[in-house]
Amino acid sequence: TVSEQFGDEAVTWNALLEEHDQLRQQQTAEKTLEKLVGHGGTDLSGACDALSQGLLLIDDHLIVRYANGAAAVFLGVEREQITGMVLTNAVEDEQLVDALQAAAGDQRQRATIEIEKEQDSGRGVFRFTIRPVRREDGLAAMVMIEDITQLRVADEARNQFVAQATHELRTPLTNIRLYLESLLEEESPDAEFQTNALNVINQESMRLERIVGDMLNVAEIEAGSLKLDMDDVHLDVIFSDLERDYQAQAEEKGIVLAFNLPPKLPAVHADRDKLVMAMHNLLGNALKYTENGGRVSVNVEVDEATGRLLFEVHDDGIGISPEDQSHVFEKFYRAKDRRISSITGTGLGLALAREVIRLHGGDIAVESELNRGSTFTLSLPAKAA
Ligand code: ADP
């Protein structure tokens, strides 16, 4: 600046200088803001673009000053069009509009709002986190958008699992308590009564143990932590054990149990215990859901074309309706057939068996006709001879 004693020109010169200075400061501020909310190219907005959450900065008129790519996708607006638009044009939800106004306006209120939206892929749930920001740069609020659909789906599944699990555990527990109480109340229980009650208690506690074991396995599978202990497994021993284990049970119900095995069985690479568990489930079900005097057969063969081992369990039992067939592999699902409710079970066996076999690269499929019988086929890659 020059001394103003030199006259009017000096005063004007100084005023000009000051104006210039202000202009320069303003330009610098604008450039910084532009970088921050910029149209790509800067590191910061590049980093924001990499976020899977949507990020928006709005001013006090709810005009979008910055939006990353994810925000445009969540709002269903073209990336090029989103900056400069009034945010409330892209959202319809009244509660959300109110919250945006309350954050960007004088109240400077924070809010977190969850909104359900129908999408092509089904129902989606989005969480909007709205925070007022320092006003210096002409900005008023920041909005973060997250897709929490999976979180909600997982929550629902967990709640359902807990509800069903509690229900399954309650029945055997109630039976144990009732029989124990009657044993305690009876002053001089006769031997037959005692044996009967103890048998029920024994059976029910084994049932509890099985249910808890199955649930732990299901939980491990869902957490992705179920480990397979793989080894070369020789099937002949497994099948002769299976036949021995189930022959007595079949005889009790007057069911003819037949095993048709090829003369030479291949070896498979598998977790022996888990494979046996899956086979037990299929054969156990066939005997459980076949009325007295029926017939159950186990056929084993190697499909030459695919090199797969096929373990097929056929019964002429109560069968499964087409509607139920599409659900029997779901956890806790039991057919809506009144004959099923009188037979104990948790609906976990098939779900577990199929998951375990799929982890081996195989599968389990069902073919069935109501009142005629069912065939469950377990297929597994066999080892080349
Ligand atoms: P659980 O036998 O404990 O109920 P599973 O998961 O093993 O559970 O089977 C699920 C359901 O599938 C059974 O409740 C039954 O309705 C149906 N199911 C399975 N195997 C057979 C079969 N061989 N014949 C008829 N229904 C069957």
Side-chain angles (χ1 to χ4, degrees):
T1 53
V2 285
S3 168
E4 297 197 347
Q5 70 187 31
F6 291 112
D8 288 348
E9 286 91 345
V11 175
T12 314
W13 172 254
N14 284 347
L16 263 174
L17 264 186
E18 197 178 328
E19 213 171 286
H20 175 256
D21 215 37
Q22 266 181 8
L23 209 65
R24 223 182 43 196
Q25 271 182 20
Q26 197 182 334
Q27 273 177 350
T28 317
E30 273 175 12
K31 261 196 200 138
T32 315
L33 180 65
E34 225 169 70
K35 270 195 181 161
L36 183 68
V37 303
H39 312 282
T42 70
D43 284 350
L44 190 59
S45 86
C48 289
D49 252 350
L51 288 174
S52 58
Q53 292 98 332
L55 185 67
L56 293 156
L57 292 170
I58 54 173
D59 67 14
D60 50 358
H61 299 296
L62 306 187
I63 293 173
V64 176
R65 300 291 291 270
Y66 170 78
N68 70 352
V73 173
F74 284 138
L75 294 173
V77 180
E78 292 284 332
R79 178 81 200 266
E80 296 74 38
Q81 288 166 3
I82 194 163
T83 319
M85 80 185 286
V86 182
L87 183 55
T88 44
N89 290 343
V91 293
E92 291 155 6
D93 191 272
E94 262 177 46
Q95 198 193 358
L96 181 59
V97 172
D98 289 348
L100 287 170
Q101 277 161 349
D106 290 333
Q107 297 120 294
R108 304 182 55 70
Q109 230 166 41
R110 300 163 149 235
T112 303
I113 290 177
E114 285 174 16
I115 289 178
E116 274 188 32
K117 255 171 105 174
E118 282 305 322
Q119 295 172 304
D120 297 343
S121 53
R123 189 177 60 116
V125 187
F126 297 94
R127 179 189 288 156
F128 287 75
T129 309
I130 307 166
R131 296 282 177 268
V133 293
R134 271 186 299 135
R135 300 233 168 179
E136 295 167 356
D137 306 324
L139 298 173
M142 180 190 87
V143 183
M144 195 142 105
I145 315 173
E146 293 159 279
D147 184 348
I148 55 164
T149 315
Q150 279 314 314
L151 217 64
R152 284 286 164 275
V153 171
D155 274 354
E156 273 168 32
R158 191 167 42 237
N159 290 343
Q160 216 180 357
F161 184 88
V162 171
Q164 273 161 327
T166 331
H167 176 79
E168 294 302 332
L169 293 173
R170 186 169 284 152
T171 322
L173 268 179
T174 311
N175 285 343
I176 291 175
R177 190 173 49 81
L178 287 179
Y179 277 86
L180 273 176
E181 273 173 10
S182 63
L183 270 183
L184 291 171
E185 276 165 15
E186 203 75 20
E187 290 207 340
S188 49
D190 62 50
E192 193 186 339
F193 174 78
Q194 258 187 4
T195 318
N196 183 28
L198 287 176
N199 270 336
V200 173
I201 293 168
N202 186 29
Q203 269 166 17
E204 293 293 320
S205 46
M206 287 196 304
R207 181 168 152 204
L208 268 182
E209 205 175 352
R210 249 193 339 263
I211 297 175
V212 173
D214 281 355
M215 282 176 183
L216 286 176
N217 276 329
V218 167
E220 274 189 73
I221 286 177
E222 288 187 348
S225 59
L226 186 91
K227 292 218 171 50
L228 295 180
D229 188 4
M230 301 293 268
D231 205 350
D232 283 351
V233 177
H234 294 281
L235 293 166
D236 20 13
V237 190
I238 290 188
F239 292 140
S240 57
D241 284 354
L242 261 186
E243 198 168 357
R244 191 199 53 220
D245 288 349
Y246 283 94
Q247 209 52 263
Q249 202 175 319
E251 268 165 33
E252 237 173 70
K253 283 184 87 175
I255 290 175
V256 177
L257 174 61
F259 269 70
N260 306 312
L261 308 179
K264 199 169 172 331
L265 283 164
V268 289
H269 194 58
D271 181 321
R272 187 179 196 282
D273 291 347
K274 305 229 161 45
L275 177 63
V276 167
M277 179 200 78
M279 290 177 170
H280 264 270
N281 178 257
L282 298 186
L283 192 50
N285 278 352
L287 290 170
K288 234 167 49 171
Y289 301 115
T290 297
E291 279 139 356
N292 290 0
R295 193 184 157 79
V296 170
S297 57
V298 175
N299 301 313
V300 179
E301 58 182 289
V302 177
D303 181 351
E304 295 298 338
T306 59
R308 288 186 156 234
L309 174 91
L310 302 179
F311 172 83
E312 200 181 272
V313 182
H314 174 80
D315 67 63
D316 59 1
I318 63 174
I320 310 168
S321 73
E323 154 67 12
D324 283 328
Q325 276 175 47
S326 51
H327 297 292
V328 288
F329 292 101
E330 291 167 13
K331 288 192 304 279
F332 294 112
Y333 190 87
R334 308 197 72 210
K336 308 255 169 298
D337 185 316
R338 66 183 165 71
R339 290 170 292 186
I340 295 285
S341 46
S342 59
I343 303 168
T344 57
T346 59
L348 280 174
L350 280 180
L352 255 177
R354 176 144 92 174
E355 282 301 323
V356 161
I357 295 304
R358 283 188 171 173
L359 285 178
H360 281 86
D363 208 353
I364 300 182
V366 60
E367 270 176 52
S368 183
E369 202 180 321
L370 199 58
N371 300 322
R372 300 294 293 271
S374 317
T375 304
F376 282 85
T377 308
L378 183 162
S379 61
L380 206 61
K383 264 178 86 89

